[in-house]
Amino acid sequence: MIRYKLVLSVLLAFLWIAGVMAEEPSIRRVAAKSRSKQQVGTRLVMSLSRTAPRPKTSQVTPDSLLRQADRMVSWKAYGRAIDIYTQLLSNPYRPINNAQRVAAMLGLANAYRLVGDNEKAEKQYRDWLELVPILERRPQPVLQFAQTLAANGKFKDADEQFELYNQLLADQKVRRLAEGETEAGQRSRSNQPVQYRLEYLALNTKNEEFSPMYFRDGLVYVAGSKGNSTIETKGSGGGSGYLDLFYIPNRNDIRIGTVINPDGTEAKPDNTRDRKRSSTGGDDRTRPTSNDSRTVPNFDAGIRASEGLGYESRATSPSQKFSKSLNTRYHEGPATFSADGTRIIFTRNNFNDGRSKKSAEGINKLKLYTAEQKDGVWMNVEELPFNNDEYSVGHPTLSRDGRTLYFASDMPGGLGGSDIYVTQYQNGRWSKPVSLGPTVNTKGNELFPFVDELGNVYFASDGRRGLGGLDIFMATMAGITPQTVEHLDAPINSPQDDFGLITDANRQSGYFSTNRKDGSDDIVRFVRQSSLYGCRDLTVRVYDAETDQPLDSVVVDVKGRSDGVTEQQLVTDRNGLIRLCLQGDNDFKLVAARDGYINSTVGFSTRALTDDQPSRLEMGMTKPTIVMDTVYTAAPGSPAEVATLTRSRIRGIIMGERDQRPIEGVTVSLRNECNKTTQSVVTAADGRYTFELDEGCDYTLVTTKPAYGTSTSKIKKLPKKSKPKLVAADVRMFSVGDVVTLDNIYYDLDKFNIRADASRELDKLVATLRRYPSLVIEVRSHTDSRGDAGYNRELSSKRARSVANYLISKGISSKRISSRGLGESMPLNSCTDGVICTEEEHQRNRRTEFKVIGVK
């Protein structure tokens, strides 16, 4: 690899630096490198599983509005978020406290930043700073403020905020270490590198091949040689020592020279996919026709334009010189194309219309040119408006919509070396270029940008700590503002120079340039063979589904489907939040449990994700409702009795659940749900009660007595204008000491987990406990006498606890439930140790029951 460090003014990638006598310095990249540390960032695109209901109007408090606005941001509905934050800050009829104002200001600033309105974002950040003491500021908002200042060109102020950010970040790390990372928000990130297979392309030679770019179905790249001299000092152009654009019309035709597996071993390439295909206009026997073109062009597929455009074949490979009208006797370098393939922006030495120009120092700088394709020919070559004879611009890359252009330049005002700039096509012209600022640019050189379909910008840099030489980094963007920068794992990067990467949105495959093999630049195809993300940042908010208020102290169990995934159990903080990082390429189940609420279960998958932005998940929890069964039936009565009725009547007997005997002294109340009036009666020794009913009204029947569980039942309304009816509603009540055996509660051998058939029976017990909300019970489990007595007691304890946990998961308060394992100590028959019994007799002793131990 040839390195050129002679002149600081020539800083772009692949720039051949000419000496004092050079007439036409070539385009070659700068390969000087420093080794400064760069923290790896995370990608930030939201997915959300929305489960939250919209709060009732009466419940729209400032806190509720803040949560709504935060959700709008997480869903990328920035306009709606701005409206809500603004409403909070400006509505005089809904006063907010200082903490709410601070949160709203910060949220509004972030929303403005995300939509690219940096001026308004800066104002909100400044307002936020005035309200928050320096020791209470969090690092992330300070970093965002610094980036906003840099985007607004206020670099001195930005530097101050960057210094503050580093200070706050260091202080935060010290505090976390001192606290032992005990908060619910703690998480750990996997350091497993992404696995790639590398394929060295057969088109590579001992000369230079680098900086590939997608064009229709094919690949355009830069190729050429320098001959035997380290630095070219003279030349007339057009020879083998100059760089030109080459083109492979179909990427499927590219042969593979060497395959490097993720473990570093070499493998034999599979070149069967490049076999020639006979098609009209695609071989040397037929002419191109209008039907040879694909109908839906995009970034990497579209109209096939390789025929009839003046491309020259390269004898040793399927590649061709890209275009006679663009390739000149000067150097042509990296190019980019519009989505439909009809416009190109490319790099060339300062030469156009047969004339070359030099800077005041006698250097032939780099410029960007654009051309359009008409009738199969590239024509109307024009300079871009921000070119300059005194500095270089090059390495262009267009966004998918063709309205945003990133490039590299050593123009004055940069941070050092060459920097990445961005310009936007507005009102028929390119805007003034803006530096991506210190988030991307360093005192070293940033080169070879590429923007993918999601707007992420890949670039090469020698100003950040990497593996050596030029390394490839990825910047996540909010509009045209960089958010974080990530260093790509080996084997994308190596101790040598790696640059010029192009890829799809989820980095499944792509191409890049490297000189790691023999010192000359080669093009390598990569194919990802593992998850792109070590883990997925996830924030979970747990809330009351009725009130939309956050729930603290909720235990959230996180279980992964794949083997080797550590189960986690976290507890929500006072804001109802937990934060964790989930392993990539896996499916997870999250179960939220809190006393007095029905367990909430949701699924979350990290498979096939195309970003690494922290995701947000919301889990609503509901309280169980009191079950009020409809209990009446047609009452027995003589026809004469029914005939004398002037109003409908309900009657019944209150009896014990265990002995079915009438209970004296029970207060029976019947509430009319139409007018809320209540009738009451106390039962005599026969346990009987009688009430009259109004047709067309529902009723609630409540029975109470000390030492008995209160029962609540619903009496379904009788049809209006019907004849008076006589109905019956007998009620059974539980008393302290009652023991009820649960039928059909079976377990697998030596297991204690609740089976599906057992859960159906336990749901009946759940309904009973909801109907009798004052009962306090003890769940008891028994085994048969076979096996060790100590083991049987332990197993029965686990089984009883499993039943209790199941009841709690359905919203039954843990204060109403205890569990006890009795093992083989209380058989219902004579099947004790040493007694021969049938399986049915043993089964009778293997039972689960509950005992009423109190009434609250």
Side-chain angles (χ1 to χ4, degrees):
M1 173 63 195
I2 305 172
R3 289 195 166 94
Y4 305 95
K5 304 181 181 177
L6 302 181
V7 185
L8 290 178
S9 62
V10 184
L11 297 167
L12 286 179
F14 71 93
L15 175 61
W16 298 98
I17 301 178
V20 175
M21 300 297 296
E23 295 179 359
E24 299 152 357
S26 62
I27 304 171
R28 192 69 171 94
R29 61 194 168 84
V30 178
K33 252 246 179 151
S34 64
R35 298 183 61 83
S36 61
K37 182 171 182 176
Q38 169 62 24
Q39 181 180 5
V40 177
T42 57
R43 304 176 71 185
L44 301 174
V45 178
M46 190 70 71
S47 65
L48 171 73
S49 173
R50 181 182 179 186
T51 58
R54 189 178 297 274
K56 298 178 181 178
T57 304
S58 60
Q59 298 167 346
V60 179
T61 63
D63 285 335
S64 179
L65 284 174
L66 278 172
R67 286 192 295 273
Q68 290 183 50
D70 292 343
R71 289 176 194 162
M72 293 302 105
V73 172
S74 68
W75 299 335
K76 294 191 174 183
Y78 302 129
R80 294 182 62 188
I82 289 172
D83 290 342
I84 298 174
Y85 287 129
T86 304
Q87 175 187 350
L88 272 169
L89 292 170
S90 60
N91 190 342
Y93 302 104
R94 183 182 284 113
I96 57 177
N97 57 39
N98 189 66
Q100 293 165 340
R101 183 172 297 278
V102 168
M105 283 182 176
L106 191 56
L108 183 58
N110 186 47
Y112 277 133
R113 180 181 63 87
L114 291 172
V115 299
D117 194 340
N118 289 316
E119 292 185 0
K120 291 183 179 178
E122 178 184 338
K123 179 184 182 303
Q124 293 300 323
Y125 280 122
R126 291 191 184 278
D127 292 344
W128 171 72
L129 288 176
E130 292 179 0
L131 285 179
V132 181
I134 188 170
L135 295 179
E136 297 180 13
R137 296 173 189 172
R138 293 181 287 116
Q140 187 63 24
V142 174
L143 174 61
Q144 293 169 347
F145 181 38
Q147 293 169 341
T148 301
L149 290 169
N152 290 338
K154 300 179 180 179
F155 297 110
K156 183 177 180 180
D157 292 344
D159 287 340
E160 294 178 358
Q161 295 304 318
F162 277 118
E163 291 179 5
L164 176 58
Y165 164 73
N166 290 328
Q167 177 186 341
L168 292 173
L169 195 64
D171 293 344
Q172 184 183 73
K173 290 179 180 179
V174 171
R175 287 196 303 272
R176 286 182 175 177
L177 289 173
E179 295 167 0
E181 290 281 11
T182 58
E183 297 180 357
Q186 70 181 28
R187 55 183 172 83
S188 61
R189 175 173 289 279
S190 170
N191 292 319
Q192 293 297 320
V194 183
Q195 301 293 310
Y196 295 97
R197 182 181 77 249
L198 301 185
E199 301 172 349
Y200 279 83
L201 306 185
L203 61 84
N204 293 315
T205 69
K206 64 180 179 180
N207 297 320
E208 314 296 326
E209 290 82 21
F210 59 98
S211 197
M213 179 58 68
Y214 297 120
F215 176 58
R216 305 194 188 278
D217 293 333
L219 202 69
V220 172
Y221 63 98
V222 183
S225 68
K226 281 299 297 175
N228 294 322
S229 62
T230 303
I231 299 175
E232 182 183 10
T233 59
K234 63 181 179 178
S236 59
S240 62
Y242 281 76
L243 301 173
D244 284 324
L245 294 174
F246 283 81
Y247 178 52
I248 296 178
N250 194 317
R251 294 194 292 277
N252 291 325
D253 293 338
I254 300 177
R255 295 180 63 86
I256 302 171
T258 305
V259 174
I260 308 297
N261 291 317
D263 60 3
T265 61
E266 290 193 14
K268 184 178 180 180
D270 179 10
N271 286 312
T272 57
R273 62 184 171 185
D274 71 314
R275 293 173 182 170
K276 301 245 180 232
R277 296 174 295 275
S278 296
S279 60
T280 302
D283 53 36
D284 56 1
R285 298 181 299 277
T286 59
R287 296 183 61 186
T289 75
S290 60
N291 291 323
D292 297 335
S293 300
R294 299 192 180 188
T295 58
V296 183
N298 54 41
F299 255 131
D300 53 4
I303 300 172
R304 184 143 181 179
S306 61
E307 299 89 357
L309 299 183
Y311 304 140
E312 299 177 12
S313 297
R314 205 176 183 193
T316 57
S317 74
S319 62
Q320 310 161 347
K321 277 199 173 182
F322 183 64
S323 171
K324 287 182 178 180
S325 60
L326 296 184
N327 282 328
T328 66
R329 64 190 182 93
Y330 287 79
H331 294 286
E332 278 72 40
T336 186
F337 300 89
S338 61
D340 61 3
T342 62
R343 179 161 293 276
I344 182 175
I345 298 177
F346 65 99
T347 313
R348 179 194 284 169
N349 284 117
N350 191 350
F351 175 84
N352 197 25
D353 294 331
R355 299 177 57 191
S356 67
K357 296 181 181 180
K358 296 182 180 181
S359 67
E361 298 176 347
I363 303 297
N364 186 265
K365 298 289 187 177
L366 303 179
K367 288 187 175 182
L368 287 178
Y369 298 84
T370 182
E372 57 183 337
Q373 186 188 127
K374 290 186 178 181
D375 300 325
V377 177
W378 292 104
M379 57 190 304
N380 299 330
V381 178
E382 298 177 350
E383 289 191 33
L384 293 191
F386 41 80
N387 286 339
N388 194 290
D389 293 341
E390 299 303 318
Y391 54 81
S392 292
V393 293
H395 306 179
T397 178
L398 273 172
S399 62
R400 187 178 184 89
D401 61 8
R403 304 189 67 83
T404 303
L405 175 68
Y406 297 89
F407 62 91
S409 176
D410 62 349
M411 66 177 62
L415 296 182
S418 57
D419 290 343
I420 306 297
Y421 290 81
V422 61
T423 176
Q424 293 184 294
Y425 197 73
Q426 299 171 342
N427 300 322
R429 59 181 299 176
W430 291 105
S431 64
K432 181 180 178 180
V434 176
S435 168
L436 291 191
T439 303
V440 168
N441 296 317
T442 67
K443 293 181 179 180
N445 300 286
E446 281 68 47
L447 310 160
F448 297 99
F450 170 76
V451 57
D452 66 15
E453 293 97 321
L454 293 178
N456 303 304
V457 176
Y458 293 83
F459 63 96
S461 174
D462 63 7
R464 301 171 177 274
R465 174 167 292 184
L467 299 181
L470 284 168
D471 270 17
I472 299 171
F473 297 81
M474 185 201 72
T476 58
M477 309 293 290
I480 59 172
T481 303
Q483 302 297 296
T484 58
V485 172
E486 174 186 352
H487 179 264
L488 301 194
D489 294 322
I492 298 295
N493 282 313
S494 71
Q496 280 71 45
D497 288 337
D498 308 289
F499 60 99
L501 180 141
I502 61 175
T503 185
D504 53 79
N506 57 0
R507 210 186 306 152
Q508 184 63 46
S509 64
Y511 301 82
F512 68 96
S513 315
T514 183
N515 69 336
R516 69 186 68 175
K517 191 172 184 180
D518 56 12
S520 67
D521 293 335
D522 293 325
I523 297 177
V524 177
R525 177 163 52 206
F526 67 88
V527 180
R528 179 161 57 86
Q529 307 221 295
S530 71
S531 170
L532 185 58
Y533 316 108
C535 65
R536 178 77 171 189
D537 290 325
L538 178 67
T539 298
V540 181
R541 175 179 176 263
V542 186
Y543 65 97
D544 187 302
E546 178 65 24
T547 65
D548 196 40
Q549 296 300 307
L551 295 175
D552 60 4
S553 305
V554 178
V555 177
V556 181
D557 287 307
V558 184
K559 299 179 181 180
R561 178 175 296 179
S562 301
D563 295 335
V565 179
T566 303
E567 294 185 6
Q568 303 181 61
Q569 187 177 87
L570 302 99
V571 180
T572 58
D573 60 19
R574 63 181 181 180
N575 297 314
L577 301 176
I578 62 168
R579 297 176 181 86
L580 64 159
C581 207
L582 299 179
Q583 183 187 69
D585 279 338
N586 204 348
D587 299 316
F588 293 88
K589 181 174 72 172
L590 290 81
V591 181
R594 188 184 189 218
D595 194 18
Y597 284 84
I598 300 174
N599 281 14
S600 178
T601 302
V602 298
F604 186 83
S605 178
T606 56
R607 300 183 189 276
L609 295 176
T610 58
D611 62 89
D612 195 25
Q613 183 174 359
S615 298
R616 184 179 177 91
L617 188 66
E618 299 205 347
M619 302 179 67
M621 300 190 71
T622 59
K623 293 181 179 180
T625 57
I626 297 176
V627 175
M628 296 185 293
D629 294 336
T630 300
V631 296
Y632 75 76
T633 59
S638 63
E641 181 183 5
V642 174
T644 59
L645 290 176
T646 58
R647 294 181 63 187
S648 294
R649 184 178 301 164
I650 183 173
R651 66 188 184 190
I653 302 175
I654 311 300
M655 63 188 73
E657 173 68 32
R658 180 177 55 183
D659 55 15
Q660 308 294 306
R661 299 180 62 180
I663 304 175
E664 183 180 4
V666 177
T667 300
V668 185
S669 301
L670 185 70
R671 184 177 62 199
N672 186 320
E673 299 299 339
C674 289
N675 54 26
K676 305 303 180 182
T677 58
T678 300
Q679 309 173 59
S680 296
V681 67
V682 177
T683 60
D686 60 3
R688 295 181 180 275
Y689 73 91
T690 301
F691 295 110
E692 291 187 338
L693 302 174
D694 292 332
E695 291 82 2
C697 290
D698 288 327
Y699 286 85
T700 301
L701 184 71
V702 180
T703 61
T704 59
K705 183 180 180 180
Y708 283 83
T710 299
S711 169
T712 305
S713 304
K714 180 180 179 181
I715 307 301
K716 185 178 180 181
K717 62 185 176 184
L718 298 173
K720 286 186 176 181
K721 298 182 180 180
S722 61
K723 293 182 179 180
K725 294 182 178 179
L726 184 63
V727 297
D730 293 340
V731 179
R732 297 179 180 180
M733 298 184 67
F734 291 92
S735 64
V736 175
D738 283 353
V739 177
V740 179
T741 299
L742 302 174
D743 296 329
N744 304 316
I745 305 298
Y746 303 125
Y747 302 89
D748 294 326
L749 181 63
D750 286 340
K751 302 292 183 181
F752 55 87
N753 56 293
I754 303 298
R755 297 186 347 186
D757 53 359
S759 65
R760 288 190 291 269
E761 294 301 319
L762 290 178
D763 285 340
K764 298 178 182 178
L765 176 56
V766 171
T768 298
L769 293 175
R770 290 179 182 173
R771 182 181 173 188
Y772 297 87
S774 62
L775 291 184
V776 180
I777 68 169
E778 177 185 73
V779 177
R780 309 198 299 184
S781 179
H782 304 265
T783 68
D784 59 38
S785 61
R786 293 175 292 185
D788 179 75
Y791 174 81
N792 285 340
R793 182 177 292 274
E794 180 181 358
L795 179 62
S796 65
S797 295
K798 292 179 178 178
R799 288 177 171 176
R801 189 65 221 164
S802 293
V803 172
N805 288 337
Y806 183 87
L807 300 177
I808 294 170
S809 74
K810 297 299 183 178
I812 306 303
S813 173
S814 60
K815 298 177 181 179
R816 299 177 57 196
I817 303 171
S818 61
S819 63
R820 185 181 180 188
L822 295 171
E824 58 185 74
S825 63
M826 296 180 64
L828 295 177
N829 52 33
S830 60
C831 293
T832 56
D833 289 340
V835 177
I836 299 175
C837 295
T838 65
E839 182 60 32
E840 289 76 14
E841 290 172 320
H842 282 302
Q843 176 62 55
R844 187 182 176 199
N845 290 328
R846 295 196 302 270
R847 67 195 187 277
T848 299
E849 60 193 17
F850 73 89
K851 179 179 180 179
V852 179
I853 59 175
V855 176
K856 66 174 183 177

